[in-house]
Amino acid sequence: MSAPRPQEHHPIAPRRVAFDWHGTPLHWIPDLLGDRPPFHVPIPEGEWLRFRLALIAAIEQFTAVLGNWVLAADGLDRAGPDPVMLDLLRWHGAEEVEHRAVAFDVYQHTGGEEPARYARRVLAMGVTAPVLLHLWTWGAAYLLRHDPQPAAPARYSLRAHHRAVRKGLLPTWRELGAAIPRYVRRSYHPSQEGSLRTALAYLAASPAARAAAGALGRSALR
């Protein structure tokens, strides 16, 4: 085994820095934020902006469903996970439920007149659902391939996925798929997804939140 290089024995210390953001533009990497439609499709700037906002609203539908699921996933508790990671996962899920309607409300306010606004919302979901499915399966396969301590064959399979679903470690395909027809109802609003009261209760009772509040209180007393 080769010895570590000398520069790898470097003590890491916290640093206080101050960046000057006054001259930094909002789009700080030109053209990486989807400023223009792909393949040079001739879409007006305002319409392209509305469609991108509709995409975010559609994505937030799935993150709200997943956030609500993880808050009630008893199977995760039974699996004996690391409590800190489970707290982080549920804290994140609770935040997703908390802000589930923000992008949707902004889109409804800025998306123009009906029926174009509704049609754009449906089209955005039609794009979002298959793309997210691809990214989730690709991401899972990538993580498995690069796991330095694999506990099982390092490849994604539907059989292993379904086994995890039966154990309550993943949501069912039906739970995820049912989010689509709910979203495309004309009368739908994300406030119908999950429980804000449950999400806020977890954000207040999260071990990490309590620890941070305790640290803040002790700091104030000094």
Side-chain angles (χ1 to χ4, degrees):
M1 180 181 297
S2 59
R5 291 176 294 181
Q7 62 266 30
E8 292 179 347
H9 294 286
H10 174 69
I12 298 176
R15 299 180 177 89
R16 295 184 180 276
V17 296
F19 295 98
D20 183 2
W21 305 109
H22 289 88
T24 303
L26 176 63
H27 296 170
W28 57 279
I29 302 179
D31 303 328
L32 287 177
L33 292 175
D35 296 336
R36 297 179 179 84
F39 311 114
H40 303 288
V41 178
I43 301 176
E45 182 179 0
E47 178 61 24
W48 179 234
L49 181 62
R50 292 190 186 99
F51 184 69
R52 285 187 289 159
L53 183 55
L55 289 174
I56 299 301
I59 293 171
E60 293 286 89
Q61 167 72 352
F62 288 106
T63 58
V65 169
L66 290 169
N68 186 60
W69 175 84
V70 78
L71 287 172
D74 296 336
L76 292 176
D77 297 284
R78 293 192 298 270
D82 178 81
V84 177
M85 285 302 300
L86 183 58
D87 182 35
L88 173 61
L89 190 63
R90 285 185 167 151
W91 182 85
H92 188 181
E95 280 213 325
E96 293 295 340
V97 174
E98 181 188 32
H99 68 245
R100 64 200 186 283
V102 173
F104 184 93
D105 287 343
V106 174
Y107 172 74
Q108 289 295 99
H109 183 71
T110 62
E113 301 296 328
E114 298 289 5
R117 180 174 60 187
Y118 173 73
R120 193 185 301 111
R121 174 156 68 93
V122 173
L123 176 60
M125 176 56 78
V127 172
T128 297
V131 169
L132 281 184
L133 177 62
H134 167 73
L135 291 176
W136 284 335
T137 54
W138 179 87
Y142 178 89
L143 291 174
L144 286 170
R145 287 197 308 271
H146 293 81
D147 188 347
Q149 298 175 330
R155 65 184 183 86
Y156 174 81
S157 71
L158 285 176
R159 178 178 296 180
H161 183 107
H162 293 155
R163 187 163 55 247
V165 168
R166 288 193 297 271
K167 292 179 179 178
L169 304 178
L170 290 173
T172 66
W173 293 116
R174 177 174 294 182
E175 288 174 302
L176 294 174
I180 299 173
R182 288 199 302 271
Y183 185 81
V184 298
R185 291 199 307 260
R186 284 185 177 271
S187 60
Y188 179 78
H189 188 267
S191 60
Q192 303 166 17
E193 209 69 61
S195 167
L196 180 60
R197 179 177 298 179
T198 301
L200 293 179
Y202 190 86
L203 290 172
S206 159
R210 293 200 307 268
L216 185 62
R218 290 190 296 272
S219 176
L221 293 174
R222 291 175 183 173

